[in-house]
Coordinates of all heavy atoms in Angstrom, one line a residue:
M1 N 32.4 -1.6 -0.7 CA 31.9 -0.2 -0.9 C 30.4 -0.2 -0.9 O 29.7 -1.0 -1.5 CB 32.4 0.2 -2.3 CG 32.1 1.7 -2.6 SD 32.9 2.1 -4.1 CE 31.6 2.9 -5.0
P3 N 27.1 1.4 -2.0 CA 26.6 2.1 -3.2 C 25.9 3.4 -2.8 O 25.2 3.4 -1.9 CB 25.7 1.1 -3.9 CG 25.3 0.1 -3.0 CD 26.4 0.1 -1.9
K9 N 11.6 9.6 -1.7 CA 10.5 9.5 -0.8 C 9.2 9.3 -1.5 O 8.9 10.0 -2.5 CB 10.4 10.5 0.3 CG 9.4 10.2 1.3 CD 9.5 11.2 2.5 CE 8.5 10.8 3.5 NZ 8.7 11.2 4.8
K12 N 3.0 8.5 -1.3 CA 1.7 7.9 -1.8 C 1.7 6.4 -1.4 O 0.7 5.8 -1.0 CB 1.6 8.0 -3.4 CG 1.2 9.4 -3.8 CD 1.0 9.4 -5.3 CE 0.7 10.9 -5.7 NZ 0.6 11.0 -7.2
L13 N 2.9 5.7 -1.5 CA 3.0 4.3 -1.1 C 2.7 4.1 0.3 O 2.0 3.3 0.7 CB 4.4 3.8 -1.5 CG 4.7 2.4 -1.0 CD1 3.8 1.3 -1.6 CD2 6.1 2.0 -1.0
V21 N -3.5 -2.0 4.8 CA -3.3 -2.9 5.9 C -4.3 -2.6 7.0 O -5.0 -3.5 7.5 CB -1.8 -2.7 6.4 CG1 -1.7 -3.6 7.6 CG2 -0.9 -3.2 5.4
E25 N 0.6 -4.4 12.0 CA 1.0 -5.7 11.6 C 1.6 -6.6 12.7 O 1.7 -7.7 12.5 CB 1.9 -5.7 10.3 CG 1.2 -5.0 9.1 CD 2.1 -5.0 7.9 OE1 2.8 -4.0 7.7 OE2 2.0 -5.9 7.1
A36 N 6.8 2.2 9.3 CA 8.2 1.9 9.9 C 9.1 1.2 8.8 O 8.7 0.2 8.3 CB 8.0 0.9 11.1
H37 N 10.2 1.8 8.6 CA 11.1 1.4 7.6 C 11.9 0.3 8.3 O 12.6 0.5 9.4 CB 12.0 2.5 7.1 CG 11.3 3.4 6.1 ND1 10.4 4.4 6.5 CD2 11.3 3.4 4.8 CE1 10.0 5.0 5.5 NE2 10.5 4.5 4.5
P46 N 15.0 2.2 1.1 CA 14.1 2.6 0.1 C 12.6 2.7 0.5 O 12.2 1.9 1.5 CB 14.3 1.7 -1.0 CG 14.7 0.4 -0.4 CD 15.5 0.8 0.8
E50 N 8.4 -3.8 0.3 CA 9.2 -4.8 1.1 C 10.0 -4.3 2.3 O 10.5 -4.9 3.1 CB 10.1 -5.6 0.2 CG 9.4 -6.4 -0.8 CD 8.9 -5.7 -2.1 OE1 9.1 -4.5 -2.1 OE2 8.5 -6.4 -3.0
V52 N 8.8 -1.6 4.3 CA 7.8 -0.8 5.1 C 6.8 -1.7 5.9 O 6.2 -2.5 5.1 CB 7.1 0.3 4.2 CG1 6.2 1.0 5.2 CG2 8.1 1.2 3.6
C56 N 1.8 0.3 15.1 CA 1.1 1.4 15.9 C 2.3 2.2 16.6 O 3.4 1.7 16.8 CB 0.2 0.8 17.0 SG 1.0 -0.4 18.1
A59 N 6.2 6.5 17.5 CA 7.6 6.1 17.8 C 8.3 7.3 18.5 O 9.2 6.9 19.4 CB 8.3 5.8 16.5
A63 N 6.3 4.7 22.0 CA 5.0 4.0 22.3 C 4.7 3.0 21.2 O 5.2 3.1 20.2 CB 3.9 5.0 22.5
A68 N 8.7 0.2 20.2 CA 9.4 -1.0 20.6 C 10.4 -1.4 19.5 O 11.5 -1.8 19.9 CB 8.4 -2.2 20.8
E87 N 3.4 -9.8 1.8 CA 3.8 -9.9 0.4 C 3.7 -11.2 -0.3 O 3.8 -11.3 -1.5 CB 5.0 -9.2 0.2 CG 5.1 -7.7 0.6 CD 4.2 -6.8 -0.2 OE1 4.1 -6.9 -1.4 OE2 3.5 -5.9 0.5
E93 N 13.7 -13.5 0.6 CA 13.4 -12.8 -0.6 C 13.1 -11.3 -0.4 O 13.5 -10.4 -1.2 CB 12.3 -13.4 -1.4 CG 11.8 -12.8 -2.7 CD 12.9 -12.7 -3.8 OE1 13.8 -13.5 -3.7 OE2 12.7 -11.8 -4.6
R100 N 18.5 -5.0 -3.2 CA 18.5 -4.6 -4.7 C 18.1 -3.2 -4.8 O 18.8 -2.4 -5.6 CB 17.6 -5.6 -5.4 CG 18.3 -6.8 -6.0 CD 17.5 -7.4 -7.0 NE 17.9 -8.9 -7.0 CZ 17.0 -9.8 -6.8 NH1 15.7 -9.5 -6.4 NH2 17.4 -11.1 -6.7
A101 N 17.1 -2.7 -4.1 CA 16.5 -1.4 -4.3 C 17.6 -0.4 -3.8 O 17.5 0.8 -4.1 CB 15.2 -1.3 -3.6
G103 N 20.7 -0.8 -4.2 CA 21.8 -0.6 -5.2 C 22.8 -1.8 -5.0 O 23.9 -1.7 -5.7
E105 N 24.3 -5.6 -5.3 CA 24.2 -6.8 -6.3 C 24.0 -8.0 -5.3 O 24.8 -8.3 -4.5 CB 25.4 -7.0 -7.1 CG 25.5 -5.9 -8.2 CD 26.7 -6.3 -9.2 OE1 27.1 -7.5 -9.4 OE2 27.2 -5.3 -9.7

Side-chain angles (χ1 to χ4, degrees):
M1 180 173 136
K9 186 168 179 160
K12 287 181 182 179
L13 171 70
V21 174
E25 293 184 271
H37 288 78
E50 293 85 352
V52 177
C56 60
E87 297 299 314
E93 176 62 22
R100 269 193 209 117
E105 285 187 32

